[in-house]
Amino acid sequence: LAVSGASVSGLALGPLVPLLLDTYGWRGALLLLAAVSFNLVAAGALLRPLPLPGGSPGPPRERAGLLRLLRHGPFLRYALAFVLVDAGYY
């Protein structure tokens, strides 16, 4: 379910991009696609862990969070799946 959003958006953008190009030109189409991507960045910023009850609401005190993430197996498989999907487009 998590990775299916990438393929659904790929199917939706296929016919949408020529329509945007015909309607708004290449500059307007790129601006609209950038606006959609910017909204996805804002939505992705909301995907953070909820604070534990009784824990501090601030950021974790550890600075090695990125290193732990890069050693986390499910994250690495998820990232590799997107690399392969993006490579498959070309």
Side-chain angles (χ1 to χ4, degrees):
L1 287 175
V3 181
S4 67
S7 60
V8 170
S9 65
L11 286 173
L13 287 178
L16 182 66
V17 170
L19 177 69
L20 291 175
L21 287 172
D22 290 339
T23 307
Y24 299 107
W26 68 270
R27 288 184 183 180
L30 284 179
L31 281 174
L32 287 171
L33 291 173
V36 169
S37 296
F38 184 67
N39 285 324
L40 293 175
V41 169
L46 297 174
L47 297 175
R48 63 186 195 287
L50 295 174
L52 296 174
S56 65
R61 296 179 191 249
E62 298 177 10
R63 300 295 274 171
L66 180 61
L67 292 177
R68 272 194 359 230
L69 185 64
L70 291 176
R71 285 185 262 151
H72 191 243
F75 173 76
L76 290 175
R77 287 189 293 273
Y78 185 73
L80 179 64
F82 272 105
V83 167
L84 293 175
V85 165
D86 288 341
Y89 279 132
Y90 298 108

